[in-house]
Amino acid sequence: MISIGSPTGAAPTDTGRAAATARGHLFNAGTLARYRDVLARGVDRVARRVGEADRPFTGVTPDDLAPLIGAIDLDRPLGDTDAALDELHDVWLRDAVWFHHPRYLAHLNCPVVIPALLGEAVLSAVNSSLDTWDQSAGATLMERRLIEWTAGRIGFGAGADGVFTSGGTQSNLQAMLLAREEAYRTVVGGSAGRPDRPQVLSRLRILTSAAGHFSVQKAAKLLGLAADAVLAVPTDATRRMRTDELARTIDRCHRDGQVVMAVVATAGTTDFGTVDPLPEIADICAAAGVWLHVDAAYGCGLLVSPTRRHVLDGIERAASVTVDYHKSFFQPVSSSALLVRDGRTLRHATWHADYLNPARAVEQGIPNQVDKSIQTTRRFDACKLWLTLRIMGPDAIGALFDQVVDLAAQAWRRLDADPRFEVAAPSQLSTVVFRYRPSGLAPDLVDEANLHARDALAASGAALVAGTKVDGAHHLKLTLLNPETTVDDIAHVLDLIADHAAWYARTAATAELSCPV
């Protein structure tokens, strides 16, 4: 008998025995029982922890966890699934931030739907890579069908295309890459002599709302544009881009010999949940011949809203659109996409490699998604959205998103009527920006009291809210993405915030009074 992993006729070596043991961990037809058992144990641990969680956070600090995690010797395996899960509980699950909890009110992290979790389990096991057809087969066509479906929801025509990405930052980066290359082609095509590329890039400008996402500035830096390439267009009292200022800025750029390569409008600002006036912005961009990109990473949930789709009117006139399904379609991270009205512009992300996607594959009609993506190896994240649509349907997703938008409107009204708080502009989506500012509180204590309240609330773990700055002043923010959150949950969190802030204000005032002159 020949021993597995050893030379013919020889006794098994230590290396051979180790390899034979290791092969028992591979997922294949021979390990299906182990696969079912191990995953069931993991699912059970998560289910138990979710069932036990009575608050969104434990309040753990980096100093609490760092020694525990740092002491783990990763070169010495535990050799046992239950022991590893016990350890995982201690270093992560016990103190994880639970976005499903109704008093998690901080960032744009949504609770996820079960069909998407099913998709996550399936796609991880099959492990398709969405770069080429010969690594993904049907998955490639399913992603393309979802891109086609999303483009249809946006209102793009038959020439539209797109690709799934890791998130809004990558989608915005790729959109700016396409806009840069289109602008460069226009400049070079209209020049008597071929200008130097760095010289052209130094003249390119991106115009975006002062309330837009920081990823636009990041994209400009990564794309080698000038340090002052991104120009912030002022917003009005509702935190929407002012179209009169946009038109003036475009004119000024042209007078100064600069080239506006893109205007980035936002459909759902991170802080205020506002949607820029898309039809008017589209008119200005069309008249100026400028690429219009709409960052709808947050507001894309309106694409399936039964009642609010009209808020996105004008988005169909964009050259490119960012959508984050993992924000308002209740999908696990990551699930995002970039859509373009003219699919031909995706060629600017194409590079043919003989071993992977040779040019002849295009001639043969082989669908390789790597031709459209700035990634190569890429997960089949579209599977999660596919199963969600096939099990729940888009109307159900839209109804969930409508519910949190309605909740935000109720929260804004409650805060606006509460003398303890000052509230910023109403949101068109599901955020509420506010701060603790009762009458009589010294102005220099307002910022400090709000900062303390947020930190103290997080340390308690009872709830989590976000923080931001409005016109230089510290504010707090509710980001409502959980349809299970109630007005009573919000009222309870507001009382906690007020208690923490009031305690700080009293303590600070007492300390100041007792301080010797």
Side-chain angles (χ1 to χ4, degrees):
M1 178 177 179
I2 299 175
S3 299
I4 296 175
S6 64
T8 305
T13 63
D14 289 343
T15 301
R17 282 190 292 269
T21 301
R23 286 198 298 273
H25 292 285
L26 291 173
F27 172 56
N28 54 44
T31 57
L32 297 182
R34 178 178 177 83
Y35 164 69
R36 291 189 177 102
D37 175 62
V38 168
L39 263 67
R41 294 182 191 213
V43 168
D44 182 64
R45 292 296 183 108
V46 173
R48 272 192 279 158
R49 184 66 190 94
V50 169
E52 296 167 352
D54 61 351
R55 54 188 58 207
F57 187 45
T58 63
V60 70
T61 69
D63 288 342
D64 295 331
L65 280 180
L68 180 63
I69 295 174
I72 293 173
D73 185 352
L74 295 176
D75 290 317
R76 300 186 64 181
L78 296 170
D80 177 77
T81 297
D82 286 332
L85 288 172
D86 288 342
E87 182 183 83
L88 188 67
H89 173 272
D90 292 342
V91 298
W92 178 45
L93 285 176
R94 180 184 59 203
D95 300 299
V97 177
W98 298 108
F99 304 136
H100 75 279
H101 196 280
R103 291 179 184 169
Y104 178 86
L105 311 173
H107 300 288
L108 281 167
N109 306 107
C110 60
V112 295
V113 293
I114 294 174
L117 292 178
L118 172 62
E120 188 73 61
V122 173
L123 74 91
S124 296
V126 180
N127 202 31
S128 296
S129 180
L130 264 288
D131 41 339
T132 59
W133 168 261
D134 64 0
Q135 298 177 74
S136 61
T140 289
L141 300 182
M142 291 166 68
E143 178 176 297
R144 290 191 167 198
R145 180 70 185 93
L146 284 170
I147 290 293
E148 179 185 28
W149 175 81
T150 305
R153 287 277 173 165
I154 290 171
F156 284 164
D161 204 347
V163 68
F164 270 63
T165 70
S166 64
T169 295
Q170 183 187 331
S171 294
N172 288 344
L173 171 63
Q174 184 165 352
M176 293 303 96
L177 167 68
L178 305 184
R180 184 194 71 179
E181 293 306 298
E182 287 292 297
Y184 176 76
R185 189 182 65 147
T186 299
V187 170
V188 171
S191 299
R194 188 173 183 85
D196 180 65
R197 183 175 175 88
Q199 182 184 45
V200 174
L201 295 188
S202 71
R203 295 168 53 204
L204 299 183
R205 295 295 182 266
I206 302 170
L207 278 50
T208 187
S209 162
H213 197 262
F214 74 89
S215 60
V216 177
Q217 284 83 356
K218 195 171 187 177
K221 181 177 182 180
L222 293 173
L223 292 172
L225 304 185
D228 58 350
V230 180
L231 304 178
V233 179
T235 60
D236 60 20
T238 65
R239 307 292 168 172
R240 303 170 79 211
M241 184 191 289
R242 286 180 51 182
T243 53
D244 59 336
E245 290 286 354
L246 173 63
R248 275 195 286 270
T249 305
I250 291 176
D251 287 343
R252 187 171 66 250
C253 287
H254 289 168
R255 288 196 306 271
D256 294 344
Q258 298 165 346
V259 177
V260 180
M261 74 175 224
V263 168
V264 179
T266 308
T269 56
T270 304
D271 277 345
F272 300 102
T274 49
V275 178
D276 287 332
L278 302 180
E280 294 88 345
I281 293 173
D283 286 342
I284 293 170
C285 290
V290 172
W291 181 289
L292 171 59
H293 174 65
V294 176
D295 179 0
Y298 176 15
C300 63
L302 296 173
L303 294 174
V304 289
S305 166
T307 63
R308 293 181 171 87
R309 172 60 182 81
H310 64 278
V311 178
L312 290 181
D313 285 352
I315 195 172
E316 71 282 354
R317 298 174 62 189
S320 55
V321 175
T322 287
V323 297
D324 270 8
Y325 308 109
H326 60 227
K327 284 187 173 68
S328 46
F329 276 64
F330 305 96
Q331 300 295 291
V333 174
S334 60
S335 185
S336 180
L338 172 68
L339 289 299
V340 293
R341 182 154 43 92
D342 181 354
R344 292 172 299 180
T345 60
L346 289 172
R347 71 187 183 280
H348 296 305
T350 303
W351 190 273
H352 292 291
D354 289 339
Y355 78 95
L356 187 70
N357 61 327
R360 69 175 183 278
V362 178
E363 300 168 1
Q364 295 170 331
I366 298 173
N368 290 325
Q369 291 296 84
V370 74
D371 295 344
K372 307 172 184 180
S373 176
I374 60 176
Q375 295 172 266
T376 304
T377 302
R378 189 163 54 82
R379 303 174 81 238
F380 181 29
D381 286 315
C383 180
K384 296 175 285 192
L385 180 59
W386 182 277
L387 282 176
T388 300
L389 292 177
R390 301 310 297 144
I391 295 173
M392 292 176 58
D395 289 348
I397 301 169
L400 291 177
F401 193 60
D402 270 354
Q403 190 171 334
V404 295
V405 176
D406 289 339
L407 180 64
Q410 296 177 64
W412 191 93
R413 289 192 295 269
R414 177 179 285 266
L415 275 159
D416 191 43
D418 192 325
R420 300 173 296 178
F421 298 101
E422 178 182 75
V423 63
S427 170
Q428 291 172 275
L429 298 181
S430 63
T431 60
V432 186
V433 178
F434 66 102
R435 60 176 173 163
Y436 176 77
R437 193 177 186 181
S439 61
L441 182 62
D444 59 334
L445 284 179
V446 174
D447 272 8
E448 296 173 16
N450 280 278
L451 288 170
H452 170 79
R454 185 190 176 205
D455 290 344
L457 186 66
S460 74
L464 289 172
V465 300
T468 189
K469 277 190 174 183
V470 180
D471 301 327
H474 288 285
H475 281 61
L476 303 175
K477 182 177 67 170
L478 307 179
T479 306
L480 306 173
L481 282 177
N482 191 343
E484 293 293 313
T485 300
T486 66
V487 173
D488 287 342
D489 286 316
I490 293 170
H492 178 71
V493 173
L494 294 178
D495 286 341
L496 292 176
I497 290 170
D499 288 346
H500 288 305
W503 176 89
Y504 181 87
R506 287 194 306 270
T507 303
T510 301
E512 187 173 312
L513 287 172
S514 63
C515 181
V517 177

